[in-house]
Every structure is written in C-alpha cells, then in structure tokens.
Amino acid sequence: MFSGFDLQLKDKSLKYNVYFNDVFDNLNYEDSDYIVVLEGCILNKSKLLQTFQTDAFTEIIIQLYHKKRELFPNELSGEFRGFIFDKKKNKLLIYNNHTGTQRVFYHQTAQHNFYVDTNLLRLTKTVKDSEILDLKPNSDAFYHLVTIGYILGHISPLKNFFRLLEGSIILMDNISGYYEIKHYFDLYDIEIFKGSKKEALLEADHLFNEAVIEEYEKDLEMGKEHFTTISGGLDSRLVLFYALKNNFRKGQRLFCFSQKNYTDEIVAKEIAESEKLKLDFVSLEKFEFISNIDKLTKISEGFNLYFGSIHVDFAMSKLKEEEKKKIGLIHTGQIGGGVLGSYLKSKNPRPIDISTLVYNKEFLEEFKEYITPYLSEKYREDIFLTKTSGFNATILGSLVFNQYSYQSSPFMNKDFLRFILSIPYEWRFRSNFYVQWIKSYCKPATQFVWERTHMKPNAKWKTFLGDYVMRRVFNYYQKFRNKSENVSMFPYQYYFDRNEKLRKIYDDYFLENIKLIDYDYKLTEAVKTLYSKDDFHKKVFAIHILSVHKLYFS
C-alpha cells in the first residue's frame, strides 16, 4: 500500500520521486527554500496543529526543523519516514520513525553519488541502471540469516547497500557529498527506575493509557473503524480492554487468525462474546499458504525469515475488500511480551549472550566471528533484543499489515517503551510485573485464559506453573487425543509432514535455486545441512536464503 519515495544526489543536484498518494498525513511540498516529503500516519498531528495554532501541517514540520534541527523527528509520534532539503544551506536530512518499521535504504558510490529509497529492490535497480555496478551478496548478512534468522546492524543482503536504523537521520552536505548518521532516539542511556513498584505500576498504567488513546483517536480523526487484533495472548487483549475503558467501543471490530479450535480462537471468541463485539476469525487450517515464499521475501526485503508473518498475510487476504476499506489503524500488541518479560534471560542486567540470538546453534562456532562485530557493548541484553528481535524480526508483521494500513502498538510508544525498559530486571523477570500490572489496572483481562500458560493471568505463581507444567500437560493431552495440530497457533510442522504437495513445492524450490549460492562453499554446506533436516523450521532457514538470492541476484 505504501510506495514511498526515492532521491538521488549527483553532481550537486537533487532529484526525487514520490510514489504515494494524498492519504493519511503524507506531504509532498516544495517552495523556494525547502523540499518537504513525508509519508506516514502521525498520531499526534491534531495536538501539533493545536499547539502551533495552524491548519498547515507542512508549516509545522518546517518550524520543528528550525527549532530542533536533526532532533525534530522525535517530536512526531507514529509511523513515518521522509526528508527535508534545505535549499539555502544545501543540506539534506533524511529520517525514519523511532522503531524503523518505515524503512529507508541508501547507497553511495565512490564518486559520492548518493541514492536513497524506501524500497531496497527498487534502489538496487536504480543504482544498477545509473552506475557501472555489479550487485554482490553481503556474506555477513547471509551468515546472520543462516544462524539467527534475521540480519543484524545496518547492513543488507547486498554489499554497500545499507538500512537506516531505527530512530535515525542521515545528514548530507550536498556540496561536499559527505554524510553522517545520527540517532534522534535511542534506548542505550536508559537508567533503572528508582521508585517503588506501586509507583511503577501507576506510571505504566498512565503511559499505556495515553498511548492507547492517541492511537484510537487517530481512527476517529480519519473517519475509520477501530480494527483490533485479538488472540489468547496478553498483549492484544490489554490493548483492547484499555480501548474499551476509554469508550472506544463504537465501530470496534476484532480480528483473530489461528489454527482452528486452538486457544487463540477460543479465547478471542470468549472475549468478543463477553464484550458483545464483532469478531472476524480466519482459520489457518491446511497451511497451504506457506508456499507463498517469494511474496513474503519481497515484503521482508530479505531481512527476516519469510514465514515469520506468512500467516498474517494469508489472514488479511481473506477479509472482504469492502471491509478492508473501513480499516483505520491496525491495532496490535507488538513486542509487549518481549519488553515485559521474554527479552529478559535472568533477574539481573547482563551483557549480550550471543547464544540467545542464535537459533541454529550447530553453526554458532563456525559463524560466530561474523556475528560478534554487530553486537554493541553499550546495550543491555534486553535493550539489544528489543532493537533486534523486536524492531528487526517481530516487526515483519508491520510490513505485512502495511499492505492495507499502518500497524500500531502502544507498547512501541516512545515514552512507554523507555519507561518499561527502565523497570528493574527482577520485577519484569518471567513477566511478573506484567501480570501484576494487569491484575491491578486491567482486571477484565484476567478473566480469560492466557495462551502461554493455559491459566488465567491473575497470579505470579501461575506464570511459573504454566510455563513449566501446564503447557507441557496441554501439549501431551492434545497428542494423546490425536490432535497434535492443536498445540500451536500455527502448527507448521504438522501440516508440512502431511501434505505431499507442499513438500514437493519446497523440494523443487530448493533444487531449482541451490545453484544461486555456489559462490560460497560455507553457506552452501550450511544451507544443504539445514534443508536435509526433518524439522520444517530448519528447512525455512535454507529456503529463505535461496529466496533472497533469487530476489536480488537471479
């Protein structure tokens, strides 16, 4: 849905194209002093218009640029990316949003020709057509993919093509052709909260409530319906119940997708019935959509395993076209469980443990030297995982949703995120703070089973018992009933093993494309090893690497 923009700085001359329409809060403005391009949905736009006492949003962006310079994007909330060209100073400022869900890529030649695009594939084609250049794979990126499943740092699958990291700007001098990259938002300087737990719970409630209000009021501003995803997890239900608490009930539609008869469907239907809300449910049975390999690789641009949100793409495609047109923002609980528990691997702050990143541990020693340079010592482990697993991997769902509208999550609100990451480790460990917060400030959310533990989230001891006992009992019981497909929201392995057609599609894909990585013996052997496994998830790693090569190099 969002086509973005591109620009080229060559011979001290700026050329640019915009590919978006006049929807959401998009801007494409030029006068004698500035070029202002912004693509996005600005959640605090109404507040800014009121503060600056003007109806001209472009004027606000220019004023913010004058006052804050390279920090001005920090004044915006939501999903956005863009650039400002200051004609008098011959300076270019390119920016993205604080989570990097709205991507920006760049490339500079030896002659200081500078290219920027919001689509990496389009950028590679532009550069290849304009310069004498052979596109080459970035080995580090593919070693990350074969071990971790996503790419670390600012590199991309192609040598000398880079991604602008979250909360960053590119400052370019058009005269010299030199540029620098700065963060306008970062998480490394977060100090541990010094107040009491009672004060922390109160502040979490306040900040989350404000973030929810900001998102749902944007729907009303756009004249759209509220569209909220719901499952058996805590994150999405918390978003919903806070929305209902703030009277965002009218026009509220719930959306759930999972394996039929799994906990996610059961709980979603219970919540919908309890609150008398409309629920759209899409069954993921049969899972034939996992053959949509190249489509999802194109959406991810190769940075994340294609299957991470392949089920989201299928589910959204099942909505009727007239229903899709009514959607405002797509409200989710993205990264909530991560920052409130699962990114913490101990009760105390600790440096990054590379083994917690690596999925295919059999390759850890072989590829460790290609991963270590991308681990920053200035970040605590939970913050590093927020920036990588959160902003980098989990965020693939945002890119899929972007085909229809902007995804939003109050857990990713700047103020809430910084505060939650300041909560002491021992409080957040095993989601204890999360459960206590819900119990104290959102009791309706505790009335339904939590998919993770298969128990209601109304006591800390239930989290431990659920993780280590109840979940295993539940899985054993389903297998005893010959219902192994009901042990997960998306039981890929179950359906892959039972679908000969799917297995043939994967086998053919592997055989047809394995030659694309002949240039790298180490990578080829790793990919062959992974694909030879019976484990479907291992096969996905192998297929993804071939799919990325097919996208950029075939």
Side-chain angles (χ1 to χ4, degrees):
M1 180 177 181
F2 308 119
S3 300
F5 58 85
D6 66 30
L7 63 86
Q8 302 172 33
L9 272 173
K10 297 174 65 174
D11 302 321
K12 301 178 183 179
S13 175
L14 173 68
K15 294 181 180 179
Y16 71 98
N17 298 290
V18 297
Y19 303 101
F20 53 74
N21 298 319
D22 185 20
V23 295
F24 291 97
D25 301 313
N26 295 346
L27 296 174
N28 181 18
Y29 171 84
E30 182 172 3
D31 63 19
S32 58
D33 296 323
Y34 300 100
I35 298 174
V36 178
V37 168
L38 182 150
E39 181 187 38
C41 182
I42 309 301
L43 300 180
N44 62 336
K45 179 182 176 181
S46 292
K47 288 183 180 178
L48 289 171
L49 293 172
Q50 188 174 7
T51 300
F52 284 84
Q53 297 185 332
T54 178
D55 292 330
F57 191 48
T58 304
E59 182 182 326
I60 292 175
I61 298 298
I62 293 172
Q63 285 192 50
L64 287 174
Y65 167 70
H66 273 292
K67 290 180 180 180
K68 303 290 184 177
R69 292 299 174 185
E70 62 261 30
L71 296 178
F72 97 85
N74 206 33
E75 303 301 309
L76 305 177
S77 174
E79 300 288 308
F80 58 85
R81 56 193 173 191
F83 69 88
I84 293 180
F85 183 59
D86 189 330
K87 294 181 180 180
K88 290 182 179 179
K89 295 183 178 180
N90 245 314
K91 303 284 187 182
L92 177 66
L93 188 154
I94 306 154
Y95 58 91
N96 62 3
N97 65 323
H98 75 285
T99 58
T101 47
Q102 300 307 309
R103 288 175 165 175
V104 174
F105 305 97
Y106 59 96
H107 170 83
Q108 188 173 46
T109 69
Q111 295 75 35
H112 293 290
N113 295 334
F114 196 70
Y115 296 84
V116 174
D117 204 316
T118 56
N119 182 285
L120 182 58
L121 183 60
R122 188 168 60 203
L123 175 61
T124 61
K125 290 178 178 177
T126 300
V127 173
K128 192 174 181 180
D129 291 344
S130 304
E131 307 282 345
I132 302 173
L133 179 73
D134 289 326
L135 300 178
K136 295 182 179 180
N138 186 326
S139 293
D140 283 10
F142 286 104
Y143 297 157
H144 295 175
L145 287 172
V146 83
T147 51
I148 302 170
Y150 55 86
I151 299 173
L152 297 172
H154 71 301
I155 62 172
S156 82
L158 301 102
K159 280 187 177 178
N160 301 317
F161 286 79
F162 302 100
R163 170 180 52 177
L164 183 63
L165 291 178
E166 68 282 347
S168 298
I169 59 162
I170 302 172
L171 287 172
M172 164 69 73
D173 186 313
N174 194 27
I175 303 300
S176 66
Y178 289 100
Y179 71 91
E180 61 178 326
I181 293 175
K182 294 184 177 182
H183 290 290
Y184 69 81
F185 176 84
D186 205 348
L187 300 171
Y188 77 92
D189 58 346
I190 294 176
E191 296 182 359
I192 298 298
F193 179 73
K194 302 297 183 183
S196 68
K197 187 179 289 188
K198 183 178 179 180
E199 290 170 330
L201 290 166
L202 181 64
E203 184 66 3
D205 169 67
H206 168 70
L207 292 174
F208 193 79
N209 194 61
E210 290 297 303
V212 168
I213 291 172
E214 185 177 62
E215 288 185 11
Y216 281 85
E217 283 187 341
K218 190 66 181 182
D219 293 334
L220 301 181
E221 179 187 318
M222 296 187 296
K224 298 285 189 176
E225 290 185 348
H226 306 306
F227 187 84
T228 306
T229 60
I230 192 73
S231 68
L234 295 188
D235 306 341
S236 58
R237 80 173 68 167
L238 202 63
V239 175
L240 172 65
F241 281 112
Y242 266 83
L244 297 178
K245 184 164 62 171
N246 285 285
N247 298 316
F248 295 108
R249 181 177 290 274
K250 185 179 179 181
Q252 181 73 251
R253 290 177 57 215
L254 306 184
F255 184 53
C256 175
F257 43 93
S258 83
Q259 164 67 25
K260 190 170 181 59
N261 296 322
Y262 183 59
T263 309
D264 285 301
E265 180 195 6
I266 294 168
V267 172
K269 287 183 174 179
E270 288 176 351
I271 291 174
E273 183 178 350
S274 171
E275 297 299 325
K276 296 179 173 56
L277 296 173
K278 180 181 178 182
L279 171 69
D280 292 310
F281 174 73
V282 176
S283 171
L284 302 182
E285 275 189 293
K286 298 184 180 178
F287 281 72
E288 292 181 351
F289 57 82
I290 61 176
S291 62
N292 296 335
I293 298 164
D294 291 337
K295 179 185 178 183
L296 269 293
T297 298
K298 192 173 182 180
I299 291 174
S300 81
E301 296 171 293
F303 287 84
N304 329 77
L305 294 183
Y306 66 86
F307 93 123
S309 284
I310 202 166
H311 60 299
V312 181
D313 182 66
F314 170 77
M316 289 298 294
S317 72
K318 293 301 179 182
L319 285 176
K320 295 177 181 178
E321 288 304 315
E322 58 267 27
E323 295 297 322
K324 292 175 186 175
K325 292 176 183 177
K326 299 176 185 177
I327 294 175
L329 297 175
I330 298 174
H331 300 279
T332 75
Q334 279 276 40
I335 79 168
V339 297
L340 279 153
S342 66
Y343 294 158
L344 280 75
K345 307 304 178 184
S346 74
K347 285 187 176 181
N348 300 299
R350 68 178 197 177
I352 301 157
D353 180 355
I354 190 172
S355 67
T356 64
L357 294 174
V358 174
Y359 182 88
N360 295 313
K361 290 184 170 49
E362 62 267 40
F363 301 129
L364 176 56
E365 290 306 315
E366 183 177 3
F367 294 111
K368 188 175 183 178
E369 64 180 291
Y370 305 102
I371 299 172
T372 304
Y374 299 89
L375 308 182
S376 175
E377 293 182 358
K378 72 176 182 178
Y379 295 113
R380 301 188 322 240
E381 185 175 44
D382 63 320
I383 292 177
F384 183 78
L385 289 174
T386 300
K387 290 168 65 67
T388 54
S389 180
F391 294 167
N392 194 356
T394 309
I395 234 61
L396 177 56
S398 297
L399 303 180
V400 171
F401 282 132
N402 278 357
Q403 297 173 98
Y404 307 96
S405 184
Y406 285 107
Q407 180 233 255
S408 64
S409 169
F411 293 100
M412 294 164 66
N413 173 275
K414 287 197 289 281
D415 295 332
F416 178 82
L417 192 58
R418 286 186 66 87
F419 178 72
I420 285 300
L421 289 172
S422 77
I423 300 298
Y425 262 50
E426 61 269 27
W427 294 359
R428 282 187 289 147
F429 188 60
R430 290 206 179 108
S431 304
N432 287 339
F433 183 86
Y434 199 4
V435 171
Q436 194 169 349
W437 166 30
I438 295 172
K439 185 180 175 183
S440 300
Y441 289 97
C442 196
K443 283 189 178 179
T446 68
Q447 302 306 306
F448 306 93
V449 166
W450 182 9
E451 182 271 343
R452 170 176 147 185
T453 63
H454 296 286
M455 303 177 78
K456 291 182 180 180
N458 52 16
K460 290 190 291 185
W461 63 267
K462 288 186 175 182
T463 306
F464 181 84
L465 182 66
D467 285 346
Y468 290 94
V469 179
M470 296 302 296
R471 186 165 193 87
R472 294 177 185 178
V473 170
F474 175 85
N475 289 348
Y476 285 136
Y477 177 64
Q478 298 303 326
K479 290 175 182 177
F480 175 76
R481 296 172 58 230
N482 289 321
K483 293 289 183 180
S484 296
E485 71 273 24
N486 287 341
V487 301
S488 169
M489 173 186 181
F490 28 70
Y492 294 117
Q493 188 74 51
Y494 176 88
Y495 286 105
F496 187 77
D497 289 345
R498 288 160 176 78
N499 192 320
E500 185 178 348
K501 179 183 174 183
L502 268 179
R503 295 198 303 276
K504 186 176 188 310
I505 289 172
Y506 270 65
D507 288 346
D508 289 347
Y509 195 100
F510 178 80
L511 293 172
E512 288 168 8
N513 295 290
I514 187 64
K515 61 183 180 294
L516 295 174
I517 59 173
D518 282 349
Y519 68 91
D520 188 323
Y521 176 77
K522 256 196 310 195
L523 183 64
T524 299
E525 289 304 300
V527 166
K528 286 181 176 178
T529 298
L530 287 171
Y531 197 76
S532 69
K533 305 292 184 183
D534 292 331
D535 186 337
F536 172 73
H537 295 84
K538 299 277 188 181
K539 292 181 184 293
V540 165
F541 277 79
I543 293 296
H544 179 73
I545 287 168
L546 300 184
S547 182
V548 179
H549 280 81
K550 181 180 176 183
L551 179 65
Y552 292 112
F553 308 112
S554 65

